[in-house]
Amino acid sequence: MFELSDAKKELLKSDGNLLVLGGPGSGKTTIALLKAKHEISNNVLLSGQRILFLSFARVTVSRVEEKLVGLGFSKEIKRKIEINTYHGFTWNILKSHGYLLCDFRQIKLLPPPEAAAKLAEIDSSQRHSEQQRLFYEEGYLHFDLFAELCSNLLNQSDPLCKIICDRYPIIIFDEFQDTNLSEWELVKNLGRYSRIIALADAEQRIYDFRGADPKRIDEYMSHFKPTFFDFETENNRSNGTDITSFGNDLLKGGNASNEYNDVKCIAYPFSNPPHIKLKTEVLAARSRLNKDVVDWSLAILVPSNKLMLQVSDVLSRKQNFAGGQILPPIVHDVAIDQAALSLAAVFIAGLMEQGEPDLEIMDRLISHLNDYVRGRGNGKISKKDIGISRSLEQFIQTRASKTNKPMLLECRQLAIACSELQLCGDPIEDWINMRSIISICKSDTLNQIFKDAMFIKLLHRGSILQSGLAELWREQSNYKGAVNLVRNALLQEHFSMTAKVPKGILLMTIHKAKGKEFDEVIIYEDIYNGRFLHNSEDSNEVRKAKLLLRVAVTRAIKRATILTPSKEKCPLLF
């Protein structure tokens, strides 16, 4: 049962705009939902109106929906609370009214993987201008423009703004401290006619790189004059542990000399193979959780994608040591960056469409390979990849290239093997068999596609993609149209209102863990491929590292373990 403090009881009775501050587990989300229930029960809403709850992450949407059930809300109350992501909400507006901003009746979405390929060689300072040009001159809508264009639309069309705000007279903005300038402008526009409830924690602002501003909470206070509530000292997530205390002390630099229950800082020695200490800690945590928790979750949080992939490789393998000790493989999920995976999925789908090897397959293969090379870095491209892309584009235009001839030869061999593969009509088996053909390739690029494809989980039972591929086969006895199916499935996945609440062992970067919670968390850094803090002399870097570590530690409900190399221990911990 959720206990209401006097301040939270006061919040339920408050009118007008609100600002709710609080640390991890302080109950911001719960009290916001109870506030929504209070307003609905008091008949504040008219017929057809709803209270809107917006968050950044789909998994947060799932967690909020779980809270509605846990709080015992009736079906009638739940029906009047709409939960969505910022992206999902703005896209619903733009797909209906975005044509008012440009000359294109039908706006074409530019998904992140394809956007990355288009913008790969655009200087970062010119990227926003190019995104705008693509929208206004070609009708391609980049995801980064959702909030900006939606805000422009509401600003230019007051009747539309009134219609939307009439539908949602109360809007709750979760993780408000992470809003960028465009999202803040959107909030201000909606706030002209709707009541705004902002939920924020200034010490969880780790998205400076996407425009989150330390002044945002003060700007909200100045603009909306909200009633202010601070639940910083309350802790409902990890109550009975020192997890929140450690996180708060970390920000002040007072953690190094203290000991904490349920937070362990371990300096680990070098090992060969690497990451063995992490694996033993994961096995120990799994054993603890199996004894005490049903449907448990354990997160392994690391600072970089590169380290994440290395750790995944070690967890996936069995290690044998002198003396007979064996560390078994550990089943886990990896929250890998989606750009490379999505482009690898399109590549395989293109192979599954088959056709004449020297014409259809080769043309698709080279085109999709070029998209992969340009987009796999999610907006960043190396000089080497630029060279590969140029040679692939030359081949597309002339059917010849002066460079990368070994890779192009492998592409032709791959096209022939693809055309000769006998497909059986089972989408999963055919997908796996087509993927396995790529494994024989020796070029680094094709080999990386195979590795990325191993992380693709689009074919779980009952998925949109699997059923779509099966339908193609029933109707045609082939997979013509598989590429469009994959692209549509990826888009639907992006806009899906829910995501699976984490269970089991999950490996991800610390940034990916934002907004999530797990029974236990293991936070791991490596000397060479992912440090918490790169430069202890830079005060700004120190501040960012403290914020990031606090977010990581406070994802834990029961226990947090931090591993740092003994050779170069993280100075924030000891």
Side-chain angles (χ1 to χ4, degrees):
M1 185 66 182
F2 186 76
E3 294 291 333
L4 289 179
S5 62
D6 290 341
K8 285 177 177 170
K9 291 176 184 177
E10 185 65 29
L11 185 152
L12 294 181
K13 297 182 291 184
S14 297
D15 292 323
N17 300 314
L18 304 178
L19 173 62
V20 183
L21 296 184
S26 61
K28 298 188 297 297
T29 301
T30 301
I31 193 58
L33 295 176
L34 291 173
K35 174 64 173 173
K37 179 184 179 182
H38 180 83
E39 298 293 319
I40 295 166
S41 300
N42 286 332
N43 299 313
V44 169
L45 301 184
L46 302 176
S47 177
Q49 290 184 328
R50 292 183 174 185
I51 294 175
L52 179 64
F53 186 106
L54 292 180
S55 187
F56 283 102
R58 290 183 300 117
V59 72
T60 306
V61 171
S62 297
R63 187 164 53 81
V64 173
E65 289 174 341
E66 278 194 347
K67 283 185 181 293
L68 290 178
V69 175
L71 291 168
F73 284 17
S74 67
K75 288 183 179 179
E76 180 65 18
I77 295 290
K78 287 191 286 186
R79 188 177 64 81
K80 294 182 179 180
I81 301 174
E82 183 174 321
I83 307 166
N84 206 337
T85 61
Y86 286 78
H87 256 173
F89 171 68
T90 50
W91 169 236
N92 286 338
I93 297 172
L94 290 171
K95 71 181 176 182
S96 300
H97 301 93
Y99 69 90
L100 297 171
L101 294 171
C102 65
D103 295 329
F104 296 89
R105 187 74 188 180
Q106 189 72 33
I107 294 172
K108 295 163 284 190
L109 269 179
L110 192 59
E114 295 174 37
K118 278 186 176 292
L119 300 172
E121 294 185 64
I122 303 295
D123 185 84
S124 58
S125 63
Q126 300 298 316
R127 195 157 291 164
H128 182 251
S129 297
E130 177 63 12
Q131 290 169 353
Q132 290 181 315
R133 189 198 66 77
L134 286 168
F135 176 73
Y136 289 110
E137 296 183 14
E138 298 183 31
Y140 282 106
L141 176 57
H142 193 288
F143 280 34
D144 287 353
L145 295 185
F146 276 22
E148 175 185 332
L149 294 178
C150 188
S151 179
N152 291 346
L153 189 59
L154 299 185
N155 191 47
Q156 294 174 30
S157 176
D158 198 57
L160 177 61
C161 188
K162 286 180 177 178
I163 289 170
I164 292 169
C165 293
D166 184 62
R167 170 70 166 168
Y168 306 110
I170 300 174
I171 305 177
I172 302 167
F173 289 93
D174 192 25
E175 304 284 4
F176 179 76
Q177 76 280 349
D178 287 330
T179 51
N180 62 25
L181 181 59
S182 296
E183 290 151 355
W184 169 229
E185 291 299 323
L186 176 65
V187 173
K188 287 194 287 186
N189 272 308
L190 292 169
R192 287 190 284 143
Y193 303 110
S194 294
R195 288 168 55 192
I196 304 297
I197 300 176
L199 313 180
D201 178 4
E203 308 301 350
Q204 287 199 70
R205 199 194 74 254
I206 61 173
Y207 288 128
D208 289 18
F209 62 88
R210 65 176 296 275
D213 193 318
K215 301 191 296 289
R216 189 74 68 233
I217 293 173
D218 290 338
E219 289 174 334
Y220 177 77
M221 291 282 288
S222 175
H223 187 84
F224 285 101
K225 306 295 190 296
T227 304
F228 169 62
F229 294 90
D230 188 352
F231 304 128
E232 181 64 39
T233 59
E234 299 190 28
N235 175 22
N236 298 287
R237 176 187 297 162
S238 54
N239 198 18
T241 74
D242 290 339
I243 291 170
T244 299
S245 296
F246 175 89
N248 292 337
D249 289 347
L250 178 66
L251 293 180
K252 303 168 189 173
N255 59 292
S257 58
N258 294 333
E259 290 189 8
Y260 299 86
N261 292 322
D262 307 303
V263 179
K264 306 298 178 187
C265 297
I266 300 171
Y268 68 89
F270 171 81
S271 64
N272 189 19
H275 317 309
I276 293 302
K277 177 58 178 175
L278 170 62
K279 188 165 185 177
T280 60
E281 289 294 328
V282 172
L283 290 168
R286 185 177 71 177
S287 178
R288 282 193 301 271
L289 290 165
N290 276 330
K291 292 176 184 177
D292 301 328
V293 184
V294 177
D295 290 333
W296 51 264
S297 58
L298 167 64
I300 306 164
L301 307 182
V302 297
S304 70
N305 279 304
K306 185 174 183 180
L307 180 57
M308 180 177 65
L309 295 177
Q310 291 180 355
V311 166
S312 179
D313 184 62
V314 170
L315 295 181
S316 301
R317 298 174 184 272
K318 179 173 75 172
Q319 285 85 29
N320 297 292
F321 299 95
Q325 182 190 11
I326 295 175
L327 294 182
I330 298 176
V331 176
H332 63 284
D333 285 330
V334 183
I336 195 170
D337 185 78
Q338 291 300 304
L341 270 62
S342 300
L343 293 166
V346 169
F347 185 88
I348 294 174
L351 297 182
M352 289 185 72
E353 292 197 17
Q354 293 191 303
E356 172 63 36
D358 284 331
L359 295 174
E360 296 172 274
I361 298 178
M362 194 64 173
D363 286 346
R364 280 196 307 271
L365 190 159
I366 297 298
S367 177
H368 294 157
L369 182 58
N370 188 39
D371 287 344
Y372 174 83
V373 169
R374 294 178 63 81
R376 64 179 172 179
N378 204 14
K380 299 177 182 177
I381 186 169
S382 66
K383 289 183 178 179
K384 178 182 177 182
D385 281 345
I386 290 174
I388 293 173
S389 175
R390 299 270 166 81
S391 68
L392 293 173
E393 288 170 351
Q394 184 183 32
F395 183 88
I396 291 170
Q397 294 168 3
T398 66
R399 307 298 293 185
S401 178
K402 297 178 181 179
T403 57
N404 290 305
K405 290 183 179 179
M407 185 179 71
L408 289 167
L409 178 60
E410 278 200 322
C411 286
R412 186 174 183 281
Q413 293 169 343
L414 182 58
I416 294 171
C418 167
S419 69
E420 294 174 348
L421 182 66
Q422 295 296 310
L423 302 175
C424 68
D426 180 331
I428 294 179
E429 185 176 341
D430 288 338
W431 182 281
I432 292 172
N433 288 338
M434 195 62 77
R435 182 182 67 191
S436 67
I437 292 176
I438 310 173
S439 66
I440 64 174
C441 297
K442 293 183 172 57
S443 79
D444 291 341
T445 305
L446 290 167
N447 190 253
Q448 189 59 50
I449 287 182
F450 174 75
K451 290 178 180 177
D452 287 340
M454 298 298 289
F455 289 102
I456 298 169
K457 296 192 175 180
L458 292 175
L459 287 173
H460 57 275
R461 186 167 299 280
S463 73
I464 297 169
L465 179 56
Q466 183 185 341
S467 59
L469 289 172
E471 185 176 349
L472 285 179
W473 187 269
R474 284 194 301 271
E475 293 178 354
Q476 310 170 169
S477 297
N478 61 47
Y479 292 112
K480 296 291 184 185
V483 169
N484 284 335
L485 264 177
V486 167
R487 286 175 172 153
N488 290 335
L490 290 166
L491 268 181
Q492 290 190 47
E493 173 72 11
H494 183 90
F495 286 113
S496 171
M497 289 303 100
T498 58
K500 186 173 68 173
V501 174
K503 301 295 180 187
I505 299 174
L506 302 105
L507 172 61
M508 64 188 71
T509 62
I510 298 174
H511 280 95
K512 287 275 189 183
K514 186 78 179 335
K516 302 177 179 67
E517 58 184 46
F518 310 90
D519 291 296
E520 284 202 28
V521 165
I522 298 175
I523 307 152
Y524 179 73
E525 71 167 344
D526 172 70
I527 288 181
Y528 304 108
N529 299 300
R531 300 306 309 261
F532 301 141
L533 175 61
H534 294 282
N535 182 5
S536 59
E537 302 300 319
D538 186 326
S539 60
N540 189 46
E541 287 296 313
V542 170
R543 180 189 62 82
K544 289 180 180 180
K546 286 181 175 180
L547 289 173
L548 198 62
L549 267 176
R550 179 180 183 264
V551 166
V553 169
T554 55
R555 299 309 89 205
I557 298 171
K558 296 179 175 296
R559 178 183 173 120
T561 304
I562 308 174
L563 297 173
T564 182
S566 56
K567 186 177 179 181
E568 292 184 25
K569 292 183 286 190
C570 177
L572 303 179
L573 301 175
F574 295 93

